[in-house]
Structures are given as C-alpha cells and as structure tokens.
Amino acid sequence: MPPPAPFHPPCPLCGRPMVPGPSLNEHHLIPRTYGGRDTVTMHRICHAKIHTVLSEAELRDHYHTIASLRAHPDIAAFLRWVSRKPPEFIDRHASGRGRRR
Ligand SMILES: [Zn+2]
Ligand SMILES: [Zn+2]
C-alpha cells in the first residue's frame, strides 16, 4: 500500500495545492508600507503576479481582499493560465524583465 498523499491546502488565489517549499510566499493584504500586518500564504508566482499588476496604493484602496484580486481582469487571465501548471511551478522569467502587457 502506498502512503497516503499529503494534504496541501489550496492557494487562496489560484486554488492549486500549496506544497511547502520555495514555491510559496507571504502576501500582505494591506501593504506593510501602509501599516498592514495580515498576511496570507500563496504561491510565489501568484504573489509576483499581484505585484506586477497592482501598485501598493491600488492594493490598499481596492485590492485588499482575495475576492477583489481574483476579480481583476489581468489576474483572472493569469489564473486561467496558471491552473494548467504544476503546483510547484516557478516562472524564472516572470520577474526582472519589465515585460508589459
Ligand atoms: Zn496560487
Ligand atoms: Zn505581496
């Protein structure tokens, strides 16, 4: 009998399992710059997308809930794309290139 597969809680943003390790990150719902203290654990790639799309002021004013983040058109498109990727997927090319869409 194989051991039971470990349970990994779903990412609040994309809903894929969160496997402990370098593919995970903490996001401040209210940016620390504005005194936010509450964090949520999510995929590093999901987290990077949030900060690619939204400024800290936008996060503070309009996107400080998971529901509002998921409703953003750019993030919704990303979630459709990332849903086909493995849970521990890290896009090494996603940051640092200044790619604009
Ligand atoms: Zn995710
Ligand atoms: Zn963050």
Side-chain angles (χ1 to χ4, degrees):
M1 283 261 293
F7 174 75
H8 298 303
C11 173
L13 206 65
C14 74
R16 294 176 307 137
M18 295 195 294
V19 180
S23 67
L24 302 186
N25 227 199
E26 298 277 320
H27 172 59
H28 283 75
L29 288 170
I30 307 264
R32 245 177 319 193
T33 320
Y34 299 111
R37 281 176 300 154
D38 291 345
T39 61
V40 288
T41 303
M42 63 175 62
H43 292 113
R44 189 186 208 93
I45 191 169
C46 296
H47 188 217
K49 183 66 186 180
I50 291 173
H51 289 284
T52 303
V53 171
L54 297 163
S55 69
E56 295 206 332
E58 288 171 318
L59 288 168
R60 177 196 59 183
D61 293 342
H62 302 293
Y63 294 99
H64 50 81
T65 65
I66 291 294
S68 57
L69 289 167
R70 288 174 57 100
H72 188 286
D74 285 3
I75 292 175
F78 161 80
L79 293 177
R80 281 194 296 277
W81 172 79
V82 85
S83 69
R84 300 190 302 270
K85 301 290 180 188
E88 294 182 89
F89 177 74
I90 300 172
D91 186 353
R92 292 172 206 286
H93 304 288
S95 59
R97 267 206 199 165
R99 197 154 52 114
R100 298 241 165 221
R101 265 162 293 170

